[in-house]
Coordinates of all heavy atoms in Angstrom, one line a residue:
M311 N -178.2 -20.4 -21.6 CA -178.4 -19.0 -22.1 C -179.5 -19.0 -23.0 O -179.7 -19.9 -23.9 CB -177.1 -18.6 -22.8 CG -177.1 -17.3 -23.4 SD -175.5 -16.6 -24.0 CE -174.5 -18.0 -24.4
N312 N -180.5 -18.0 -22.7 CA -181.7 -17.9 -23.7 C -181.3 -17.1 -24.9 O -180.3 -16.5 -25.0 CB -182.9 -17.4 -22.9 CG -182.7 -16.0 -22.4 OD1 -182.0 -15.2 -23.1 ND2 -183.2 -15.6 -21.2
V313 N -182.4 -17.0 -25.8 CA -182.2 -16.4 -27.0 C -181.9 -14.8 -26.8 O -180.9 -14.3 -27.5 CB -183.4 -16.5 -27.9 CG1 -183.3 -15.7 -29.2 CG2 -183.7 -17.9 -28.3
E314 N -182.5 -14.2 -25.9 CA -182.2 -12.8 -25.7 C -180.8 -12.5 -25.3 O -180.2 -11.6 -25.7 CB -183.2 -12.2 -24.7 CG -184.6 -12.2 -25.1 CD -184.9 -11.4 -26.4 OE1 -184.3 -10.3 -26.5 OE2 -185.8 -11.9 -27.1
E315 N -180.4 -13.4 -24.3 CA -178.9 -13.3 -23.9 C -177.9 -13.5 -25.0 O -177.0 -12.7 -25.2 CB -178.7 -14.2 -22.8 CG -179.3 -13.9 -21.5 CD -179.1 -15.0 -20.4 OE1 -179.1 -16.2 -20.8 OE2 -179.0 -14.7 -19.3
E316 N -178.2 -14.5 -26.0 CA -177.4 -14.7 -27.0 C -177.3 -13.6 -28.0 O -176.3 -13.2 -28.5 CB -177.7 -16.1 -27.8 CG -177.4 -17.3 -26.9 CD -177.2 -18.6 -27.9 OE1 -177.2 -18.4 -29.1 OE2 -177.1 -19.6 -27.3
V317 N -178.5 -13.0 -28.3 CA -178.6 -11.8 -29.2 C -177.8 -10.6 -28.6 O -177.0 -10.0 -29.4 CB -180.1 -11.4 -29.5 CG1 -180.2 -10.1 -30.2 CG2 -180.8 -12.5 -30.3
E318 N -177.9 -10.5 -27.4 CA -177.1 -9.3 -26.7 C -175.6 -9.6 -26.9 O -174.8 -8.7 -27.2 CB -177.5 -9.1 -25.3 CG -178.9 -8.5 -25.1 CD -179.0 -7.1 -25.8 OE1 -178.1 -6.2 -25.7 OE2 -180.0 -6.9 -26.6
K319 N -175.2 -10.9 -26.7 CA -173.8 -11.2 -26.8 C -173.3 -11.1 -28.2 O -172.2 -10.7 -28.5 CB -173.5 -12.6 -26.2 CG -173.6 -12.7 -24.8 CD -173.2 -14.0 -24.2 CE -173.3 -14.0 -22.7 NZ -172.4 -14.9 -22.1
L320 N -174.2 -11.4 -29.2 CA -173.9 -11.3 -30.6 C -173.6 -9.8 -30.9 O -172.7 -9.5 -31.7 CB -175.1 -11.9 -31.5 CG -174.9 -11.7 -32.9 CD1 -173.6 -12.5 -33.5 CD2 -176.2 -12.2 -33.7
K321 N -174.4 -9.0 -30.4 CA -174.3 -7.5 -30.7 C -172.9 -7.0 -30.2 O -172.2 -6.3 -30.9 CB -175.4 -6.7 -30.0 CG -176.7 -6.9 -30.7 CD -177.9 -6.3 -29.9 CE -177.7 -4.9 -29.3 NZ -179.0 -4.5 -28.6
V322 N -172.4 -7.5 -29.0 CA -171.2 -7.2 -28.4 C -170.0 -7.7 -29.4 O -169.1 -7.0 -29.7 CB -171.0 -7.8 -27.1 CG1 -169.6 -7.6 -26.6 CG2 -171.9 -7.0 -26.1
E323 N -170.2 -9.0 -29.9 CA -169.1 -9.5 -30.7 C -169.1 -8.9 -32.1 O -168.0 -8.7 -32.6 CB -169.3 -11.0 -30.9 CG -169.2 -11.9 -29.6 CD -167.8 -11.5 -28.9 OE1 -166.9 -11.6 -29.5 OE2 -167.9 -11.2 -27.7
I324 N -170.2 -8.4 -32.6 CA -170.2 -7.7 -34.0 C -169.5 -6.3 -33.8 O -168.6 -6.0 -34.6 CB -171.6 -7.6 -34.5 CG1 -172.2 -8.9 -34.9 CG2 -171.6 -6.6 -35.6 CD1 -173.6 -8.9 -35.4
Q325 N -169.7 -5.7 -32.6 CA -169.1 -4.4 -32.3 C -167.6 -4.6 -32.2 O -166.8 -3.8 -32.6 CB -169.7 -3.8 -31.1 CG -171.1 -3.3 -31.4 CD -171.8 -2.9 -30.1 OE1 -171.4 -3.1 -28.9 NE2 -173.0 -2.2 -30.3
R326 N -167.2 -5.8 -31.6 CA -165.8 -6.1 -31.3 C -165.0 -6.3 -32.7 O -164.0 -5.8 -32.9 CB -165.6 -7.2 -30.4 CG -164.2 -7.7 -30.2 CD -164.1 -8.8 -29.2 NE -164.6 -10.1 -29.6 CZ -163.9 -11.0 -30.3 NH1 -162.6 -10.7 -30.7 NH2 -164.6 -12.1 -30.7
L327 N -165.7 -7.2 -33.6 CA -165.0 -7.6 -34.8 C -165.3 -6.7 -35.9 O -164.5 -6.7 -37.0 CB -165.5 -8.9 -35.1 CG -165.1 -10.1 -34.1 CD1 -165.9 -11.3 -34.3 CD2 -163.6 -10.4 -34.1
G328 N -166.3 -5.9 -35.9 CA -166.7 -5.1 -37.1 C -166.2 -3.7 -37.2 O -165.3 -3.3 -36.4
T329 N -166.6 -3.0 -38.3 CA -166.1 -1.7 -38.5 C -167.3 -0.8 -38.4 O -168.4 -1.0 -39.0 CB -165.6 -1.6 -40.0 OG1 -164.6 -2.6 -40.2 CG2 -165.0 -0.2 -40.3
K330 N -167.2 0.3 -37.6 CA -168.2 1.2 -37.3 C -168.4 2.1 -38.6 O -167.4 2.5 -39.1 CB -168.0 2.1 -36.1 CG -169.1 2.9 -35.7 CD -169.0 3.5 -34.3 CE -170.2 4.1 -33.9 NZ -170.4 4.2 -32.5
Q331 N -169.7 2.4 -39.0 CA -169.9 3.1 -40.1 C -170.3 4.5 -39.8 O -170.6 4.8 -38.6 CB -171.0 2.4 -41.0 CG -170.8 0.9 -41.3 CD -169.5 0.8 -42.2 OE1 -169.6 1.4 -43.3 NE2 -168.6 0.0 -41.7
E332 N -170.4 5.4 -40.7 CA -170.7 6.9 -40.5 C -172.0 7.0 -39.7 O -172.3 7.9 -39.0 CB -170.6 7.6 -41.7 CG -169.3 7.9 -42.1 CD -169.2 8.9 -43.4 OE1 -170.1 9.6 -43.6 OE2 -168.2 8.8 -44.0
D333 N -173.0 6.1 -40.2 CA -174.4 6.2 -39.6 C -174.5 5.6 -38.2 O -175.6 5.5 -37.7 CB -175.3 5.7 -40.5 CG -175.2 4.1 -40.8 OD1 -174.2 3.5 -40.2 OD2 -176.1 3.5 -41.5
G334 N -173.4 5.1 -37.6 CA -173.4 4.5 -36.4 C -173.6 2.9 -36.4 O -173.5 2.2 -35.4
S335 N -174.0 2.4 -37.6 CA -174.1 0.9 -37.7 C -172.7 0.3 -37.7 O -171.7 1.0 -37.8 CB -174.8 0.6 -39.0 OG -174.0 1.0 -40.0
V336 N -172.6 -1.0 -37.5 CA -171.4 -1.8 -37.5 C -171.5 -2.9 -38.5 O -172.5 -3.5 -38.5 CB -171.0 -2.3 -36.1 CG1 -169.8 -3.1 -36.1 CG2 -171.0 -1.2 -35.0
K337 N -170.5 -3.0 -39.4 CA -170.4 -4.0 -40.4 C -169.3 -5.0 -40.1 O -168.2 -4.7 -39.9 CB -170.2 -3.3 -41.7 CG -170.4 -4.1 -43.0 CD -170.0 -3.4 -44.3 CE -170.9 -2.2 -44.5 NZ -170.7 -1.5 -45.7
V338 N -169.7 -6.3 -40.3 CA -168.8 -7.4 -40.3 C -169.3 -8.5 -41.3 O -170.4 -8.5 -41.7 CB -168.8 -7.9 -38.9 CG1 -170.0 -8.6 -38.5 CG2 -167.5 -8.9 -38.6
T339 N -168.3 -9.2 -41.8 CA -168.6 -10.4 -42.7 C -169.0 -11.6 -41.9 O -168.4 -11.8 -40.7 CB -167.6 -10.6 -43.8 OG1 -166.5 -11.1 -43.1 CG2 -167.4 -9.4 -44.6
F340 N -169.8 -12.4 -42.5 CA -170.1 -13.8 -41.8 C -168.9 -14.5 -41.5 O -168.8 -15.2 -40.5 CB -171.1 -14.5 -42.7 CG -171.5 -15.8 -42.1 CD1 -172.2 -15.9 -40.9 CD2 -171.1 -17.0 -42.7 CE1 -172.5 -17.2 -40.4 CE2 -171.4 -18.3 -42.2 CZ -172.1 -18.3 -41.0
G341 N -168.0 -14.5 -42.4 CA -166.7 -15.4 -42.3 C -165.9 -15.0 -41.1 O -165.4 -15.8 -40.4
V342 N -165.9 -13.6 -40.9 CA -165.1 -13.1 -39.7 C -165.7 -13.6 -38.4 O -165.1 -14.1 -37.5 CB -164.9 -11.6 -39.8 CG1 -164.4 -11.0 -38.5 CG2 -164.1 -11.1 -40.9
L343 N -167.0 -13.5 -38.3 CA -167.7 -13.9 -37.2 C -167.6 -15.4 -37.0 O -167.4 -15.9 -35.9 CB -169.3 -13.6 -37.3 CG -169.8 -12.3 -36.8 CD1 -171.3 -12.2 -37.0 CD2 -169.5 -12.1 -35.3
F344 N -167.8 -16.2 -38.1 CA -167.9 -17.7 -37.9 C -166.5 -18.2 -37.6 O -166.4 -19.2 -36.9 CB -168.3 -18.3 -39.2 CG -168.7 -19.7 -39.2 CD1 -169.9 -20.1 -38.8 CD2 -167.7 -20.6 -39.3 CE1 -170.2 -21.5 -38.8 CE2 -167.9 -22.0 -39.2 CZ -169.2 -22.4 -39.0
N345 N -165.4 -17.6 -38.1 CA -164.1 -18.1 -37.8 C -163.4 -17.5 -36.6 O -162.4 -18.0 -36.3 CB -163.2 -17.8 -39.1 CG -163.7 -18.6 -40.3 OD1 -163.9 -19.9 -40.1 ND2 -163.9 -18.0 -41.4
D346 N -164.1 -16.6 -35.9 CA -163.5 -16.2 -34.7 C -163.6 -17.1 -33.5 O -164.7 -17.6 -33.2 CB -164.3 -14.8 -34.3 CG -163.7 -14.2 -33.0 OD1 -162.6 -13.7 -33.0 OD2 -164.4 -14.3 -32.0
D347 N -162.5 -17.4 -32.8 CA -162.5 -18.4 -31.8 C -163.4 -18.0 -30.6 O -164.2 -18.9 -30.1 CB -161.1 -18.5 -31.2 CG -160.1 -19.3 -32.2 OD1 -160.7 -20.0 -33.0 OD2 -159.0 -19.2 -32.1
R348 N -163.5 -16.8 -30.2 CA -164.3 -16.3 -29.2 C -165.8 -16.6 -29.5 O -166.5 -17.1 -28.6 CB -164.1 -14.8 -28.8 CG -164.7 -14.4 -27.6 CD -164.2 -13.1 -27.1 NE -165.1 -12.3 -26.5 CZ -165.0 -11.0 -26.1 NH1 -163.8 -10.5 -26.2 NH2 -165.9 -10.4 -25.5
C349 N -166.2 -16.2 -30.7 CA -167.5 -16.4 -31.1 C -167.9 -18.0 -31.2 O -169.0 -18.4 -30.8 CB -167.8 -15.9 -32.5 SG -168.0 -14.0 -32.4
A350 N -166.9 -18.8 -31.6 CA -167.1 -20.2 -31.6 C -167.4 -20.8 -30.3 O -168.1 -21.8 -30.1 CB -166.0 -20.9 -32.3
N351 N -166.7 -20.2 -29.2 CA -166.9 -20.6 -27.9 C -168.2 -20.1 -27.3 O -168.8 -20.8 -26.3 CB -165.8 -20.3 -27.1 CG -164.5 -21.0 -27.4 OD1 -164.6 -22.2 -27.8 ND2 -163.3 -20.4 -27.2
I352 N -168.7 -19.0 -27.7 CA -169.9 -18.4 -27.1 C -171.1 -19.0 -27.7 O -172.1 -19.4 -27.0 CB -169.9 -17.0 -27.3 CG1 -168.8 -16.2 -26.5 CG2 -171.3 -16.3 -26.9 CD1 -168.7 -14.8 -26.8
F353 N -171.2 -19.1 -29.0 CA -172.4 -19.4 -29.7 C -172.4 -20.9 -30.2 O -171.6 -21.3 -31.0 CB -172.6 -18.6 -31.0 CG -172.6 -17.1 -30.6 CD1 -171.5 -16.3 -30.9 CD2 -173.7 -16.5 -29.9 CE1 -171.5 -15.0 -30.5 CE2 -173.7 -15.2 -29.5 CZ -172.6 -14.4 -29.9
E354 N -173.4 -21.7 -29.7 CA -173.6 -23.0 -30.1 C -174.2 -23.0 -31.5 O -173.8 -23.9 -32.3 CB -174.5 -23.7 -29.1 CG -174.4 -25.2 -29.1 CD -175.1 -25.8 -27.9 OE1 -174.9 -25.4 -26.8 OE2 -176.1 -26.6 -28.2
A355 N -175.1 -22.0 -31.9 CA -175.6 -22.1 -33.1 C -175.7 -20.6 -33.6 O -176.7 -19.9 -33.5 CB -177.0 -22.6 -33.0
L356 N -174.5 -20.2 -34.1 CA -174.4 -18.8 -34.6 C -175.5 -18.4 -35.6 O -176.0 -17.3 -35.5 CB -173.0 -18.6 -35.1 CG -172.6 -17.2 -35.7 CD1 -172.8 -16.2 -34.7 CD2 -171.3 -17.1 -36.4
V357 N -175.8 -19.2 -36.6 CA -176.6 -19.0 -37.6 C -178.1 -18.7 -37.0 O -178.7 -17.8 -37.4 CB -176.7 -20.1 -38.7 CG1 -177.8 -19.8 -39.7 CG2 -175.3 -20.1 -39.4
G358 N -178.4 -19.6 -36.0 CA -179.7 -19.4 -35.4 C -179.8 -18.1 -34.7 O -180.8 -17.4 -34.6
T359 N -178.7 -17.7 -34.0 CA -178.7 -16.3 -33.2 C -178.7 -15.3 -34.3 O -179.4 -14.3 -33.9 CB -177.4 -16.3 -32.4 OG1 -177.3 -17.5 -31.6 CG2 -177.4 -15.1 -31.5
L360 N -178.1 -15.4 -35.3 CA -178.1 -14.3 -36.4 C -179.6 -14.1 -36.9 O -180.1 -13.0 -37.0 CB -177.2 -14.6 -37.5 CG -175.7 -14.4 -37.3 CD1 -174.9 -15.0 -38.4 CD2 -175.4 -12.8 -37.2
R361 N -180.2 -15.3 -37.1 CA -181.6 -15.3 -37.6 C -182.5 -14.6 -36.5 O -183.4 -13.9 -36.8 CB -182.1 -16.6 -38.0 CG -181.4 -17.2 -39.2 CD -182.0 -18.5 -39.6 NE -183.3 -18.3 -40.1 CZ -184.1 -19.4 -40.4 NH1 -183.7 -20.6 -40.2 NH2 -185.3 -19.2 -40.9
A362 N -182.3 -15.0 -35.3 CA -183.1 -14.4 -34.2 C -182.9 -12.8 -34.1 O -183.9 -12.1 -34.0 CB -182.7 -15.0 -32.8
A363 N -181.7 -12.4 -34.3 CA -181.4 -11.0 -34.2 C -182.0 -10.3 -35.4 O -182.5 -9.1 -35.5 CB -179.9 -10.8 -34.1
K364 N -182.0 -10.9 -36.6 CA -182.6 -10.3 -37.8 C -184.1 -10.2 -37.7 O -184.7 -9.3 -38.1 CB -182.3 -11.2 -39.0 CG -182.7 -10.6 -40.3 CD -182.3 -11.5 -41.5 CE -182.6 -10.9 -42.9 NZ -182.2 -11.7 -44.0
R365 N -184.8 -11.2 -37.1 CA -186.2 -11.2 -36.9 C -186.6 -10.0 -35.9 O -187.6 -9.5 -36.0 CB -186.7 -12.5 -36.3 CG -186.9 -13.6 -37.3 CD -187.7 -14.8 -36.7 NE -187.1 -15.4 -35.6 CZ -186.3 -16.4 -35.6 NH1 -186.0 -17.0 -36.7 NH2 -185.8 -16.9 -34.4
R366 N -185.7 -9.7 -35.0 CA -186.0 -8.6 -34.0 C -185.5 -7.2 -34.7 O -185.5 -6.3 -34.0 CB -185.2 -8.8 -32.7 CG -185.8 -9.9 -31.9 CD -184.8 -10.4 -30.9 NE -185.4 -11.4 -30.0 CZ -185.6 -12.7 -30.3 NH1 -185.2 -13.1 -31.5 NH2 -186.1 -13.5 -29.3
K367 N -185.1 -7.2 -35.9 CA -184.7 -6.1 -36.7 C -183.5 -5.3 -36.1 O -183.5 -4.1 -36.2 CB -186.0 -5.3 -36.9 CG -187.0 -5.8 -37.7 CD -188.2 -4.9 -38.0 CE -189.4 -5.6 -38.6 NZ -189.3 -6.6 -39.5
L368 N -182.6 -6.1 -35.5 CA -181.5 -5.5 -34.9 C -180.3 -5.5 -35.9 O -179.4 -4.6 -35.7 CB -180.9 -6.3 -33.7 CG -182.0 -6.3 -32.6 CD1 -181.6 -7.3 -31.4 CD2 -182.2 -4.9 -32.0
L369 N -180.3 -6.3 -36.8 CA -179.3 -6.4 -37.9 C -179.9 -6.8 -39.2 O -181.0 -7.2 -39.3 CB -178.2 -7.3 -37.5 CG -178.4 -8.7 -37.1 CD1 -178.6 -9.6 -38.3 CD2 -177.3 -9.2 -36.2
T370 N -179.1 -6.6 -40.2 CA -179.6 -7.0 -41.6 C -178.5 -7.8 -42.3 O -177.3 -7.6 -42.0 CB -180.0 -5.8 -42.5 OG1 -178.8 -4.9 -42.6 CG2 -181.2 -5.0 -41.8
Y371 N -178.9 -8.7 -43.2 CA -177.9 -9.4 -44.2 C -178.8 -9.9 -45.3 O -179.9 -10.1 -45.1 CB -177.1 -10.4 -43.4 CG -177.8 -11.4 -42.7 CD1 -178.2 -12.7 -43.3 CD2 -178.1 -11.3 -41.3 CE1 -179.0 -13.7 -42.6 CE2 -178.8 -12.3 -40.6 CZ -179.2 -13.5 -41.3 OH -179.9 -14.5 -40.6
D372 N -178.2 -10.2 -46.3 CA -178.8 -10.7 -47.5 C -179.0 -12.2 -47.3 O -178.2 -12.9 -46.8 CB -178.1 -10.5 -48.8 CG -178.1 -9.1 -49.2 OD1 -179.0 -8.3 -48.8 OD2 -177.2 -8.7 -50.0
G373 N -180.2 -12.7 -47.6 CA -180.4 -14.1 -47.6 C -181.1 -14.5 -46.2 O -181.2 -13.7 -45.3
E374 N -181.4 -15.8 -46.1 CA -182.0 -16.3 -44.8 C -181.0 -17.2 -44.1 O -180.9 -17.0 -42.9 CB -183.3 -17.1 -45.1 CG -184.5 -16.3 -45.4 CD -184.9 -15.6 -44.1 OE1 -185.0 -16.1 -43.0 OE2 -185.1 -14.3 -44.2
L375 N -180.5 -18.2 -44.8 CA -179.5 -19.1 -44.2 C -178.2 -18.9 -44.6 O -177.9 -18.9 -45.9 CB -180.0 -20.5 -44.6 CG -179.1 -21.7 -44.0 CD1 -179.3 -21.7 -42.5 CD2 -179.6 -23.0 -44.6
L376 N -177.2 -18.6 -43.7 CA -175.8 -18.5 -44.1 C -175.0 -19.7 -43.7 O -175.1 -20.3 -42.7 CB -175.2 -17.2 -43.2 CG -175.9 -15.9 -43.4 CD1 -175.3 -14.8 -42.5 CD2 -175.8 -15.4 -44.8
L377 N -174.1 -20.0 -44.7 CA -173.4 -21.3 -44.7 C -171.9 -20.9 -44.7 O -171.5 -20.0 -45.6 CB -173.7 -22.3 -45.8 CG -175.1 -22.7 -45.9 CD1 -175.4 -23.4 -47.1 CD2 -175.5 -23.5 -44.7
Q378 N -171.1 -21.6 -43.9 CA -169.6 -21.4 -43.9 C -169.1 -21.7 -45.3 O -169.5 -22.6 -45.9 CB -168.9 -22.3 -42.9 CG -167.5 -22.0 -42.8 CD -166.7 -23.1 -41.9 OE1 -167.3 -24.1 -41.7 NE2 -165.5 -22.8 -41.7
G379 N -168.2 -20.8 -45.7 CA -167.6 -20.9 -47.0 C -168.3 -20.3 -48.1 O -167.9 -19.3 -48.7
V380 N -169.5 -20.8 -48.3 CA -170.4 -20.2 -49.4 C -170.7 -18.7 -49.1 O -170.7 -17.8 -50.0 CB -171.7 -20.9 -49.5 CG1 -172.6 -20.4 -50.6 CG2 -171.5 -22.4 -49.8
H381 N -171.0 -18.3 -47.8 CA -171.5 -17.0 -47.5 C -170.5 -16.2 -46.7 O -170.8 -15.3 -46.0 CB -172.8 -17.1 -46.7 CG -173.9 -17.7 -47.6 ND1 -174.5 -18.9 -47.4 CD2 -174.5 -17.2 -48.7 CE1 -175.3 -19.2 -48.2 NE2 -175.4 -18.2 -49.2
D382 N -169.2 -16.5 -46.7 CA -168.2 -15.9 -45.9 C -168.1 -14.4 -46.1 O -167.8 -13.6 -45.3 CB -166.8 -16.5 -46.0 CG -166.7 -17.8 -45.3 OD1 -167.6 -18.2 -44.6 OD2 -165.6 -18.4 -45.5
N383 N -168.4 -14.0 -47.3 CA -168.3 -12.5 -47.7 C -169.6 -11.8 -47.5 O -169.7 -10.5 -47.8 CB -167.7 -12.4 -49.1 CG -166.3 -12.9 -49.2 OD1 -165.5 -12.7 -48.4 ND2 -166.0 -13.5 -50.3
V384 N -170.6 -12.4 -47.0 CA -171.9 -11.7 -46.8 C -171.8 -10.8 -45.7 O -171.3 -11.0 -44.5 CB -173.1 -12.7 -46.6 CG1 -174.3 -12.0 -46.1 CG2 -173.3 -13.6 -47.7
E385 N -172.1 -9.5 -45.9 CA -172.0 -8.5 -44.8 C -173.2 -8.5 -44.0 O -174.4 -8.5 -44.3 CB -171.9 -7.0 -45.5 CG -170.7 -6.8 -46.3 CD -170.5 -5.5 -46.9 OE1 -171.6 -4.9 -47.1 OE2 -169.4 -5.0 -47.1
I386 N -172.8 -8.5 -42.6 CA -173.8 -8.4 -41.6 C -173.8 -7.0 -41.0 O -172.7 -6.5 -40.6 CB -173.6 -9.4 -40.5 CG1 -173.7 -10.8 -41.2 CG2 -174.6 -9.3 -39.3 CD1 -173.3 -11.9 -40.2
I387 N -174.9 -6.3 -41.0 CA -174.9 -4.9 -40.5 C -175.7 -4.8 -39.2 O -176.9 -5.0 -39.2 CB -175.4 -4.0 -41.6 CG1 -174.5 -4.1 -42.9 CG2 -175.4 -2.6 -41.1 CD1 -175.1 -3.4 -44.1
L388 N -175.0 -4.5 -38.2 CA -175.8 -4.2 -36.9 C -176.2 -2.8 -37.0 O -175.5 -1.9 -37.1 CB -174.8 -4.4 -35.7 CG -175.3 -4.0 -34.3 CD1 -176.5 -5.0 -33.9 CD2 -174.2 -4.2 -33.3
K389 N -177.6 -2.6 -36.8 CA -178.1 -1.3 -36.9 C -177.7 -0.4 -35.8 O -177.5 -0.9 -34.7 CB -179.7 -1.4 -37.0 CG -180.1 -2.1 -38.2 CD -181.7 -2.2 -38.2 CE -182.2 -2.9 -39.5 NZ -183.6 -2.9 -39.5
P390 N -177.7 0.9 -36.0 CA -177.3 1.8 -34.9 C -178.3 1.7 -33.8 O -179.5 1.6 -34.1 CB -177.2 3.2 -35.6 CG -177.9 3.1 -36.8 CD -177.9 1.6 -37.3
P391 N -177.9 2.0 -32.5 CA -178.8 2.0 -31.5 C -179.8 3.1 -31.7 O -179.5 4.3 -32.2 CB -178.0 2.2 -30.2 CG -176.6 2.6 -30.7 CD -176.5 2.2 -32.1
V392 N -181.1 2.8 -31.3 CA -182.1 3.8 -31.4 C -182.1 4.8 -30.3 O -182.0 4.3 -29.1 CB -183.5 3.2 -31.5 CG1 -184.7 4.2 -31.5 CG2 -183.7 2.2 -32.6
T393 N -181.9 6.0 -30.4 CA -181.9 6.9 -29.4 C -183.2 7.7 -29.2 O -183.9 8.0 -30.2 CB -180.8 8.0 -29.7 OG1 -181.0 8.7 -30.9 CG2 -179.4 7.4 -29.7
A394 N -183.7 7.9 -28.1 CA -184.9 8.6 -27.8 C -184.8 10.1 -28.1 O -183.8 10.7 -27.6 CB -185.3 8.4 -26.3
T395 N -185.7 10.5 -28.8 CA -185.6 12.0 -29.0 C -186.8 12.7 -28.3 O -187.9 12.1 -28.2 CB -185.9 12.1 -30.6 OG1 -187.2 11.6 -31.0 CG2 -184.8 11.7 -31.5
A396 N -186.4 13.7 -27.8 CA -187.4 14.6 -27.0 C -188.3 15.3 -27.9 O -188.0 15.8 -29.0 CB -186.5 15.7 -26.2
T397 N -189.6 15.2 -27.5 CA -190.7 15.9 -28.4 C -191.3 17.0 -27.5 O -191.4 16.9 -26.3 CB -191.8 14.9 -28.7 OG1 -192.3 14.3 -27.4 CG2 -191.3 13.9 -29.7
A398 N -191.5 18.1 -28.1 CA -192.0 19.2 -27.4 C -193.6 19.2 -27.5 O -194.2 18.8 -28.2 CB -191.4 20.6 -28.0

């Protein structure tokens, strides 16, 4: 699986495990993602996939490197999908 595929799967898992916000974004904590059995089976390197998605500006979280236990309460926010707007 390449990085693009992993990032797309990460988005799906964040939507499954997270809470949708009023602005269309989805919020989940690192601990919930890290401790989920399905995520553990999908992602060989969850932290690396999170960093790749952050570099692509698809999600945000505080810090660069997330570690189990220490950063379990860090919120990961999947940005809302960008919708094309019609221009006149």
Side-chain angles (χ1 to χ4, degrees):
M311 183 168 22
N312 67 34
V313 175
E314 296 301 324
E315 290 173 324
E316 284 205 12
V317 167
E318 287 303 312
K319 287 185 181 213
L320 178 62
K321 289 166 52 178
V322 170
E323 294 306 309
I324 290 173
Q325 290 169 348
R326 178 177 67 88
L327 295 168
T329 305
K330 190 163 189 163
Q331 306 300 300
E332 287 183 22
D333 65 357
S335 66
V336 180
K337 188 185 297 185
V338 67
T339 62
F340 177 67
V342 168
L343 268 180
F344 192 90
N345 292 312
D346 181 71
D347 288 339
R348 187 163 149 186
C349 285
N351 290 328
I352 294 172
F353 303 108
E354 198 169 302
L356 176 60
V357 173
T359 306
L360 284 166
R361 289 183 72 190
K364 186 176 183 179
R365 277 194 303 269
R366 288 165 174 75
K367 300 187 186 325
L368 299 173
L369 54 81
T370 61
Y371 57 85
D372 290 336
E374 279 298 312
L375 181 64
L376 299 176
L377 302 172
Q378 180 189 15
V380 178
H381 298 114
D382 282 356
N383 293 324
V384 171
E385 291 180 337
I386 297 167
I387 301 170
L388 177 64
K389 295 181 180 180
V392 177
T393 56
T395 54
T397 56

